[in-house]
Each structure stands twice: as C-alpha cells, then as structure tokens.
Amino acid sequence: MKTETNLFRFYYLLLFPAVFCPLIISIHYAHACSVPVFRYALERWKPDAYKGIYIYRGEISEQDQSFLDQLNNASRAEAALNLIVKPVDADTFSTEKLTAFFKGPIPDKLPLLAIWYPGQMGKSPPFLRETLSQSLIDKLVQSPKRQQIAEGLIRGESVVWVFIPSGNKEADDGALAMIKQALDLALNRFKRNPFTILDGAKRKRLTYGFPILTLLRDDPAEYIFIETLMKSEPDLFEHTDEPMLFPVFGRGRSLGCLFGKYITARKIREAAVFLSGACSCEVKELNPGVDLLLSAPWDMVVMNSFIEEDPLPELTGVMPESDEPLTCERPTAGSADAMPEDDQARGRVNSTAENSDVHEDNDSGVLKIYAASLAGLILVVAVSGFVISRRRGD
C-alpha cells in the first residue's frame, strides 16, 4: 500500500510540470508579443553600427588625429554615436585590394573619411567620402533634426514621420494634408484601444504619438542626415522633385520611403499598423528598414520599460534577410493593369494580411507546445498505470 501511494505521488509530481509548464511558456510567450513593434524596438534593438575608414598615406596629421579622437569619443559617450572608424594606411595594401574594397576606383585625394551603411563595408561603395574637418565631425556626431527625433522617441513618441518637401508648393501641401489626415485617423484608432502592459501588480497604458518633422533638402546643418536618408535606397535622388516620407521608429530606424504618388492613405495606414501592432518574436535583421546615423542615450528608456526584465526574443516582420542595399518595391513593367493602384505603392511596409500570417505562425507555435505536453502527459499516465498495475499484481 505504501509503494502504491508513493507511485501516486510520483505520478502527480510528473503531472504538475506536464500541465503547468506549457501554460507558463505560453503566458511568457504571449507577454513577449503584447508590446507594439515601435516600443519593443525602442527598448531592445541596439542601433546597427556604421563603419568607416580614415584612409591616408604616410602619417596621420596631428589635426586629423584630433578629429578621429572626437569620433571615437562620440562612439563611447553616454549618448553614443553608432559609428566605428579605423585608420587605414593605403600604402600597406595593393591597388587591386583597395579597388575591390571600395567597389570602385581609389580616391585620388587622400586622406579622407569613407563611411558605409551597416553591413555594407566591402560589399558596396561607401555612401559618404569626405575630407576631415571640424564642420564634418560636428555634423556626423549630431544635428538639430536628428536630436529632435531622438528626444521625441525617447520621450515616448511612437513614430516620427520625417517629411521632405519637394519645393513644389501644391504637391507638398497635398502630400502633407494626406499624411496628417491618415495619421490622425490611425492615432485615434490606437488611442481607443491602447496596449495595457502588466508591471507587477500595476498596469501601464501605452501612449501614442505620430509627430511630423519637416526636413529641408538644402539645410546645411542636416547634410549628413539628408545623405543618410537619400542614399538608403539606390534611386531616391531621381525623385527629388517629389515630396518624400520616412517613418522613423525604435532607436532611430527608418522603415523605408514613400514618395510622390506613392504617399497614399493606405500605405501610411499600413506603416502605422505594422509599427503599432503587437510584435512577433524573431530577430531584428529580418525586419525592414535601416538604422540612421545619430547619437542618443537610448539605454535610458529601460528606466521606464514596458518589457519584463528577462531577455525576450526580438521582433520580426516578414521581410527576407538580405545583404543587398535597401530598395523600395515598385510596380514592374506590364503589371500596372493587373494590380490595384495602392498595391503598387512604394515603401517597405508590411500589410495587415502579412502581419496576420506572422501571428498565425505564432499561434501555431503555442499549439505545438501544448500538443507536445499533452503527448508527454499521456505517456506519464500510461507508464504510471502500467507500473501500478504490475505492483498490484505482485
């Protein structure tokens, strides 16, 4: 009788984890996916680093060394700049190797600073080649508009919508009116159904904000910012006669570009829904967009975190991982008649249907956890019953 009682105790000890472990896992999983994309990205996605080289011949001048020291100090400051620069002596490399590295001819005039987008060094030409100067250093480290973006995101703004006017007043006014109307509608929708996050025994209500920031193409203080945005896709300089819109979220990540006739209420709504919807849990690199070059004390947002302390998986959209330069989708030749106009819109914006596919996959993952646990429970019951029956027979 004592042996049989011990077996029943063993059975219930196995039953407890079999039933409650999947429940705990699924609750943790659901909590991880209850935070909107923009907030999760702000708290958990570290900005990708831009990489650069200071290429020279002979020796580095005292003045240029002081410039390099300023960049290195900026990358290590509390409001860190996501830029890493290394000095390279051109005389220590063959012409062929340097040409292959630059993906083009070696600059005739040295020394100079060359900077690549994150993950693009050695794979594509640098997007910036400049002679070092105090003015360049100042513009690399910070600018008024980039500081305004960083402060807004840290303060709790959901997405900063960077609007670059074309100079055509009629086109710019029409685009800006469209953007404001679409964002107002989206904002009202999210405010009526805000995310509520558990914080111990209390609940936090997540606030929303969609400010529009106007950036002028000829603003000399924003030269680096404009170059970073305009060269993030290979053909944007071909459309400088059209207004442009860049949604910026997280720790200064641009989702992509909408311009001209592609600035539609539908595409703006899709971007807002994607960035304000509940996340799915994968890695940052699978998401659309490119991190901007700017300095900000991003880690201070952890002081007001909406996310539990335990490390969680990162978000993912539905964009494939690629080392290719970022490009916006556009209609292909012969396809215009077959596609609705809005479906041809530019911009790396995930549709609601695509996002629902991601959440269906997540739900499937939770069901698999329960299925596996149920199978384990059945096995425990069967083995325990067999052992108990054998004991009774003895």
Side-chain angles (χ1 to χ4, degrees), residues 355-369:
N355 286 318
S356 66
D357 291 341
V358 174
H359 290 294
E360 286 174 6
D361 292 340
N362 294 337
D363 294 340
S364 175
V366 175
L367 290 175
K368 288 177 181 178
I369 294 173

Side-chain angles (χ1 to χ4, degrees), residues 288-328:
V290 60
D291 288 337
L292 301 177
L293 183 64
L294 57 86
S295 57
W298 298 116
D299 288 339
M300 69 182 295
V301 300
V302 177
M303 297 171 62
N304 189 28
S305 176
F306 274 74
I307 304 174
E308 60 191 40
E309 293 298 324
D310 294 336
L312 299 177
E314 291 184 318
L315 305 177
T316 182
V318 295
M319 301 300 296
E321 184 174 10
S322 173
D323 290 330
E324 296 298 321
L326 295 173
T327 57
C328 287

Side-chain angles (χ1 to χ4, degrees), residues 110-299:
L110 296 180
L112 63 76
L113 178 68
I115 300 176
W116 284 260
Y117 284 103
Q120 293 302 309
M121 178 180 274
K123 299 178 182 179
S124 64
F127 83 93
L128 188 73
R129 301 185 187 193
E130 295 285 344
T131 302
L132 278 182
S133 66
Q134 188 61 57
S135 174
L136 177 65
I137 299 301
D138 293 341
K139 291 173 183 176
L140 280 170
V141 173
Q142 193 55 281
S143 69
K145 296 295 185 182
R146 286 182 291 164
Q147 183 175 1
Q148 188 176 340
I149 289 173
E151 289 175 351
L153 293 173
I154 291 174
R155 188 170 57 245
E157 303 289 9
S158 311
V159 183
V160 178
W161 302 80
V162 179
F163 177 70
I164 303 181
S166 64
N168 181 326
K169 188 175 187 307
E170 183 179 356
D172 294 339
D173 289 348
L176 197 54
M178 167 74 73
I179 295 166
K180 288 180 178 177
Q181 183 181 32
L183 291 180
D184 285 345
L185 289 173
L187 195 57
N188 289 333
R189 172 186 171 185
F190 296 131
K191 284 182 176 179
R192 287 197 303 268
N193 301 286
F195 274 88
T196 302
I197 312 298
L198 282 174
D199 180 22
K202 299 180 180 179
R203 286 183 174 271
K204 294 180 181 178
R205 294 189 68 185
L206 188 62
T207 58
Y208 294 85
F210 288 155
I212 300 171
L213 182 147
T214 299
L215 175 67
L216 300 179
R217 299 179 193 273
D218 58 355
D219 186 345
E222 301 299 334
Y223 166 68
I224 296 297
F225 187 22
I226 294 167
E227 288 288 294
T228 306
L229 287 173
M230 296 298 294
K231 293 182 179 178
S232 63
E233 300 176 17
D235 60 349
L236 292 184
F237 278 105
E238 299 174 11
H239 302 276
T240 55
D241 59 343
E242 300 177 74
M244 294 182 174
L245 183 66
F246 296 84
V248 179
F249 68 104
R251 299 191 175 192
R253 187 173 182 84
S254 170
L255 183 66
C257 175
L258 297 171
F259 65 75
K261 68 177 182 179
Y262 300 105
I263 298 178
T264 67
R266 175 177 175 179
K267 298 309 293 184
I268 295 169
R269 183 176 64 251
E270 287 179 351
V273 168
F274 170 72
L275 294 174
S276 302
C279 74
S280 55
C281 303
E282 289 292 341
V283 293
K284 173 185 177 182
E285 287 72 19
L286 295 178
N287 284 265
V290 60
D291 288 337
L292 301 177
L293 183 64
L294 57 86
S295 57
W298 298 116
D299 288 339

